[in-house]
């Protein structure tokens, strides 16, 4: 990889353009801007970094759980993944310019990794889902280097997992354990890793494996991905209640 991306001496990877929503600083940039001016330089300069893709449920969890809030605010970037975040930013009259779905960001990063010979570690999901996802990735990205992979059902302190990620020296580490587990796992062990862009990706491996279908583009464009997910996975209704509470709190300014 060529050192064609130069970062300033004091790398301003921490939240240069943000909008605060319930005391969480969301990045307010387009996906392309984020990639071109932040993430790609970080990858090329091998700077360790941490990305959180947050939706209203995550913000509400942070409101109720101080330890989780501390974990997510350690991220270099908190990305607005969730239509409710965009709605809240408008209600607060500090509009976020673009929703950045974590799934899209992850896909862009995987495609970029393949082209630029960067390696990925895929941690999370059920064992069979993780294997199926690796198979699909290899089909779609034959030149992608998978530095390692493991399912997501392990103890938070499992040394085998930490050492496996550490030894793999991957440039990108996608962690699909669902929230709050993925952010808690990343922040708990972050100090042990020398390199890597760490990103919590929730249920994205299930989608990559073909186990869960993503909403059609028309629904995504209408910011209705959450509704599609609810219709497909009705057991998620409790989450929607949290998202509704989030919007009501924003509206009433009761943070
Ligand atoms: N998962 C995991 N380990 C766990 C709990 C969950 O690997 O201990 C995986 C689960 O199999 C699924 C993902 O984490 O692939 C959670 O997906 P979900 O869509 O619920 O993500 P969230 O919206 O909670 O971030």
């Amino acid at each position: 990889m060529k050192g064609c991306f130069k970062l300033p001496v004091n790398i301003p990877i921490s939240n240069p353009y943000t909008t605060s929503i319930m005391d969480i600083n969301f990045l307010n940039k387009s996906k392309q801007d984020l990639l071109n001016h932040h993430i790609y330089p970080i990858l090329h300069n091998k700077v360790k970094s941490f990305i959180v893709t947050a939706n209203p449920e995550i913000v509400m969890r942070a409101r109720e759980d101080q330890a989780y809030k501390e974990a997510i605010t350690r991220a270099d970037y908190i990305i607005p993944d969730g239509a409710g975040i965009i709605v809240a930013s408008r209600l607060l009259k500090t509009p976020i310019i673009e929703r950045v779905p974590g799934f899209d960001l992850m896909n862009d990063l995987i495609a970029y990794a393949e082209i630029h010979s960067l390696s990925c570690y895929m941690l999370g999901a059920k064992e069979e889902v993780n294997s199926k996802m690796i198979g699909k990735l290899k089909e779609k990205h034959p030149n992608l280097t998978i530095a390692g992979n493991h399912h997501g059902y392990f103890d938070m302190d499992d040394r085998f997992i930490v050492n496996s990620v550490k030894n793999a020296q991957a440039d990108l580490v996608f962690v699909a354990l669902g929230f709050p587990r993925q952010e808690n796992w990343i922040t708990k062990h972050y100090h042990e890793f020398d390199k890597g862009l760490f990103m919590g990706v929730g249920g994205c491996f299930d989608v990559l494996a073909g186990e869960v279908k993503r909403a059609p583009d028309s629904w995504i464009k209408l910011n209705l991905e959450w509704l599609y997910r609810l219709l497909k996975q009705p057991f998620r209704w409790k989450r929607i209640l949290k998202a509704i509470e989030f919007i009501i709190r924003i509206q009433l300014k009761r943070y």
Side-chain angles (χ1 to χ4, degrees), residues 21 58 62 90 123 137 182 200 209:
I21 296 177
I58 288 184
R90 288 181 189 152
L123 178 64
L137 271 184
Q182 58 200 18

Side-chain angles (χ1 to χ4, degrees), residues 125-148:
K126 292 186 187 135
E127 187 159 20
E128 61 279 14
V129 173
N130 186 295
S131 311
K132 198 170 163 193
M133 180 252 322
I134 296 290
K136 295 243 170 168
L137 271 184
K138 285 184 177 160
E139 267 170 35
K140 194 170 173 209
H141 302 281
N143 297 317
L144 180 69
T145 307
I146 308 279

Side-chain angles (χ1 to χ4, degrees), residues 100-114:
V100 180
F103 185 75
D104 293 347
L105 190 60
M106 183 186 75
N107 269 333
D108 286 0
L109 288 172
I110 289 172
Y112 189 82
E114 183 182 27

Side-chain angles (χ1 to χ4, degrees), residues 167-184:
N167 295 337
Q169 291 284 309
D171 297 292
L172 295 126
V173 182
F174 296 108
V175 185
L177 308 177
F179 86 92
R181 209 168 127 79
Q182 58 200 18
E183 288 80 21
N184 287 337

Side-chain angles (χ1 to χ4, degrees), residues 53 55 57-58 123-126 129 151-154 176-183 201-206 229 233 235-236 239:
T53 61
N55 55 22
E57 297 99 283
I58 288 184
L123 178 64
K126 292 186 187 135
V129 173
H151 67 77
Y153 291 82
F154 52 79
L177 308 177
F179 86 92
R181 209 168 127 79
Q182 58 200 18
E183 288 80 21
V201 294
C204 289
F205 289 4
D206 302 73
R229 229 177 153 192
Q233 300 172 309
F235 58 86
R236 288 180 172 271
R239 291 184 170 214

